[in-house]
Amino acid sequence: MTAVAEALRPPSRTLLFLEGRALQELGAFMMLRPWLAAAPRGDGHPVLVLPGLLASDLSTRPLRSFLKGQGYAAHGWKQGRNLGLRAGIEDAMLARVEELHERYGNRRISLVGWSLGGIYARQIAKMVPDKVRSVISLGSPFAGSPKATNAWRVYEFASGQSVEDSDHKMAGALASPPPVPTTSVFSRTDGICAWQTCINEESEQVENIEVYGSHCGLGHHPAAVYAVADRLAQPEGNWKKFDRSGWKSLVFPDWRRD
């Protein structure tokens, strides 16, 4: 980890307070859902959606409902509330991937993870890349210091483990992307995680997509939901990076800007 990454601080109290925007973003999602249906449609492949810290499948229901309507076989993780990497969770997630892989005729599964769920998704893909088609994380702090968030104390309380130990659990260092097409959707006004911790080092099949919004609303933020649908619709074996030209440049800023 570089000195710059180590020095990152959690988002300001102002941004943390502004996380209340998540309710407005849910309202916007519900209002715009008929128009979001114009997003690229799927090919029926299975999608496993993993919730964030302290959240359950209830939090990802709006996203999963939308994805089902777009032609995907979207599923929750069925592990109750996400209380961190407790004993048995890794095996349970791998078993869930195996179950869905077999149920859908050995089709590869796309993994979508919100916050901590996105970290799980990246690590699972490293462990069973032959069963994973793509990975999309939403506001997941996989790079930089694990204390560059406003949730690290909550994680330690919920899991009973130190966040300092989490970087080498499951499949190794979190910042390394899995060997499958990988997308990080993030917001610079995230009030939970320092946005710099959500940035991939881009390569041929690794990318970043920025949206304007909160952390707690990323799972139902209209722009984030559109980005997820667009990424999942990429043909297997012919994945291309997100195209933000035209009207999309107004909704998805250039994340490389100063």
Side-chain angles (χ1 to χ4, degrees):
M1 187 183 301
T2 67
V4 173
E6 184 67 34
L8 285 176
R9 294 181 177 276
S12 68
R13 291 183 179 179
T14 299
L15 287 177
L16 180 60
F17 177 78
L18 289 174
E19 281 298 306
R21 293 172 292 166
L23 291 176
Q24 296 174 327
E25 289 161 354
L26 178 58
F29 167 75
M30 296 174 67
M31 182 177 65
L32 295 174
R33 183 160 177 173
W35 287 270
L36 284 171
R41 294 187 60 82
D43 59 4
H45 79 270
V47 178
L48 178 58
V49 185
L50 306 172
L53 179 63
L54 298 185
S56 67
D57 284 334
L58 180 64
S59 69
T60 65
R61 183 179 293 174
L63 175 58
R64 287 184 287 114
S65 175
F66 172 77
L67 293 179
K68 287 178 181 178
Q70 292 299 106
Y72 299 98
H75 296 272
W77 80 327
K78 290 189 174 181
Q79 300 303 315
R81 201 168 290 280
N82 185 351
L83 300 178
L85 198 58
R86 297 166 293 128
I89 288 296
E90 178 184 321
D91 290 341
M93 288 189 290
L94 289 171
R96 183 73 166 137
V97 168
E98 182 66 33
E99 173 204 346
L100 295 175
H101 184 253
E102 292 183 2
R103 186 193 305 183
Y104 292 95
N106 294 327
R107 295 190 72 179
R108 293 174 120 190
I109 301 168
S110 286
L111 303 177
V112 179
W114 190 350
S115 195
L116 180 59
I119 293 177
Y120 292 167
R122 290 168 63 94
Q123 301 306 89
I124 291 170
K126 296 174 189 177
M127 300 171 79
V128 287
D130 57 315
K131 295 181 174 65
V132 177
R133 174 165 164 166
S134 65
V135 171
I136 304 170
S137 61
L138 304 171
S140 300
F142 50 79
S145 170
K147 290 188 176 181
T149 78
N150 282 312
W152 68 269
R153 290 184 178 86
V154 177
Y155 177 89
E156 292 191 337
F157 177 79
S159 68
Q161 303 174 32
S162 168
V163 292
E164 302 289 355
D165 298 332
S166 63
D167 194 46
H168 296 286
K169 289 189 175 180
M170 294 182 72
L174 302 182
S176 300
V180 299
T182 301
T183 301
S184 172
V185 179
F186 75 97
S187 168
R188 292 196 187 209
T189 56
D190 188 316
I192 303 298
C193 305
W195 64 269
Q196 296 92 335
T197 65
C198 304
I199 298 297
N200 280 305
E201 182 175 343
E202 288 204 322
S203 64
E204 185 176 352
Q205 62 175 6
V206 180
E207 65 178 351
N208 303 293
I209 300 175
E210 183 180 352
V211 300
Y212 300 109
S214 69
H215 179 91
C216 295
L218 277 176
H220 49 250
H221 187 292
V225 169
Y226 180 92
V228 170
D230 183 271
R231 299 295 77 207
L232 292 177
Q234 293 295 295
E236 187 170 8
N238 192 28
W239 185 90
K240 294 181 180 179
K241 290 189 177 183
F242 185 68
D243 177 12
R244 51 176 295 275
S245 62
W247 67 266
K248 286 181 280 189
S249 65
L250 302 175
V251 179
F252 302 97
D254 183 357
W255 73 270
R256 300 178 183 85
R257 71 188 187 283
D258 291 334

